[in-house]
């Protein structure tokens, strides 16, 4: 009985979206929110004909043996890239470790253009890395490392540009962050040597100032000793 019922009905959970296919052609989608953007993207895409769009979760009816259901998550997904090098305006190399949070907003477009989460992550990786590299190449390294206000506005621009390019794939980036910005390992020795030199320079300055102050104290003590001795005589 269960097998027979599954041929006539299908259940859509709150955590998922589905597309209904008939002979490998998408004829219906059940999504989280039936927005104007989703409807427009479906209507203007020549791949699709008259597709039914629903945002009602629960029990749905399908034509047995002819129609099949493909399921996609409606939950937030995370794209986490590998650390990679970027070059700043002052020709410094930085190692960038970033991630993005995204979701499927149009399963029909997602199914026909990407098909799965791995392909989506690869596409996001190409677009985000390219745009980040472009933005970081406009400023010096110290800005990327220490200027939080600039980094925030830069990420907003990257997110907007990414969403414009990913709209045709049924994907929306919700948030984007840089986890770590650092110099390459090859540069660590140079940085350490420079820091060591700066510390030695500071230490010499402190020692010099200390010796000068000690000499003043000794001179003052000798003077007072001379005065006391003279008064005693």
């Amino acid at each position: 009985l269960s097998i027979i019922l599954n041929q006539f009905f299908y259940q859509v959970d709150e955590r998922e979206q589905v597309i209904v296919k008939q002979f490998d052609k998408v004829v219906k989608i059940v999504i989280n929110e039936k927005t104007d953007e989703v409807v427009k993207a479906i209507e203007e895409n020549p791949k699709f004909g008259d597709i039914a769009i629903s945002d009602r979760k629960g029990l749905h009816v399908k034509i047995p043996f002819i129609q099949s259901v493909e399921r996609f998550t409606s939950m937030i997904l995370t794209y986490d890239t590998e650390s990679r090098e970027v070059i700043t305006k002052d020709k410094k190399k930085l190692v960038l470790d970033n991630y993005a949070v995204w979701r499927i907003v149009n399963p029909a477009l997602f199914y026909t253009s990407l098909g799965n989460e791995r392909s989506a992550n690869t596409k996001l990786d190409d677009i985000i890395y390219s745009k980040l590299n472009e933005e970081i190449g406009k400023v010096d390294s110290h800005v990327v490392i220490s200027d939080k206000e600039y980094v925030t506005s830069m990420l907003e621009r990257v997110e907007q540009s990414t969403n414009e390019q990913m709209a045709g794939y049924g994907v929306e980036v919700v948030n984007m962050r840089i986890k770590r910005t650092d110099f390459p390992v090859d540069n660590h020795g140079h940085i350490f040597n420079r820091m060591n030199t700066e510390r030695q320079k500071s230490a010499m300055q402190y020692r010099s100032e200390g010796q000068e102050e000690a000499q003043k104290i000794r001179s003052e003590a000798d003077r007072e000793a001379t005065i006391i001795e003279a008064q005693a005589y």
Side-chain angles (χ1 to χ4, degrees):
L1 179 61
S2 174
I3 296 175
I4 295 174
L5 288 175
N6 286 337
Q7 292 296 331
F8 287 88
F9 304 97
Y10 62 95
Q11 182 80 17
V12 183
D13 188 84
E14 289 293 337
R15 296 169 298 179
E16 63 183 4
Q17 306 173 86
V18 305
I19 62 170
V20 180
K21 297 184 294 180
Q22 183 169 318
F23 303 120
D24 290 330
K25 180 182 179 181
V26 180
V27 294
K28 180 181 179 179
I29 61 173
V30 181
I31 57 180
N32 283 341
E33 186 179 1
K34 188 178 178 180
T35 62
D36 293 338
E37 289 80 8
V38 173
V39 174
K40 184 179 179 182
I42 293 293
E43 291 176 346
E44 293 181 350
N45 196 309
K47 295 180 181 178
F48 308 119
D50 187 15
I51 294 181
I53 305 174
S54 173
D55 55 7
R56 179 181 63 83
K57 301 298 179 73
L59 195 64
H60 291 257
V61 179
K62 65 184 178 74
I63 301 173
F65 308 108
I66 295 177
Q67 294 182 341
S68 61
V69 175
E70 190 92 21
R71 300 177 185 274
F72 300 94
T73 182
S74 63
M75 300 175 68
I76 296 295
L77 300 166
T78 301
Y79 144 76
D80 196 352
T81 183
E82 296 290 334
S83 299
R84 286 186 295 189
E85 290 186 357
V86 292
I87 301 177
T88 59
K89 184 180 179 182
D90 54 352
K91 307 304 179 185
K92 299 289 180 61
K93 289 183 179 180
L94 294 178
V95 176
L96 203 66
D97 191 358
N98 63 285
Y99 74 93
V101 177
W102 62 280
R103 62 186 176 187
I104 301 169
V105 293
N106 190 328
L109 286 177
F110 184 82
Y111 170 74
T112 55
S113 60
L114 296 171
N116 55 59
E117 294 174 20
R118 178 179 294 181
S119 297
N121 283 330
T122 301
K123 194 68 180 177
L124 283 168
D125 188 40
D126 292 341
I127 294 174
I128 292 175
Y129 177 68
S130 175
K131 189 62 180 175
L132 274 175
N133 213 2
E134 176 187 334
E135 289 287 339
I136 290 173
K138 298 176 182 178
V139 293
D140 293 338
S141 57
H142 70 88
V143 177
V144 182
I145 293 174
S146 59
D147 193 335
K148 293 183 178 180
E149 186 175 342
Y150 176 82
V151 171
T152 299
S153 63
M154 176 188 73
L155 289 175
E156 289 174 355
R157 292 193 297 274
V158 174
E159 182 179 322
Q160 181 181 354
S161 175
T162 302
N163 278 330
E164 289 172 358
Q165 296 182 65
M166 292 299 293
Y169 299 93
V171 169
E172 177 189 26
V173 174
V174 179
N175 197 3
M176 190 181 300
R177 287 289 181 269
I178 293 176
K179 295 190 294 183
R180 182 176 65 91
T181 307
D182 200 0
F183 289 100
V185 176
D186 295 344
N187 290 359
H188 288 180
H190 301 296
I191 295 170
F192 175 79
N193 290 335
R194 188 178 73 244
M195 292 174 63
N196 190 38
T197 302
E198 291 174 353
R199 294 297 179 272
Q200 288 179 349
K201 182 179 179 181
S202 298
M204 290 176 62
Q205 181 179 351
Y206 291 145
R207 280 196 294 267
S208 175
E209 291 173 353
Q211 290 171 355
E212 182 180 350
E213 190 65 25
Q215 184 61 42
K216 289 180 181 178
I217 294 172
R218 282 195 294 268
S219 298
E220 183 66 21
D222 290 342
R223 188 180 69 83
E224 291 181 0
T226 302
I227 293 173
I228 293 171
E229 186 178 1
Q231 290 174 343
Y233 278 118

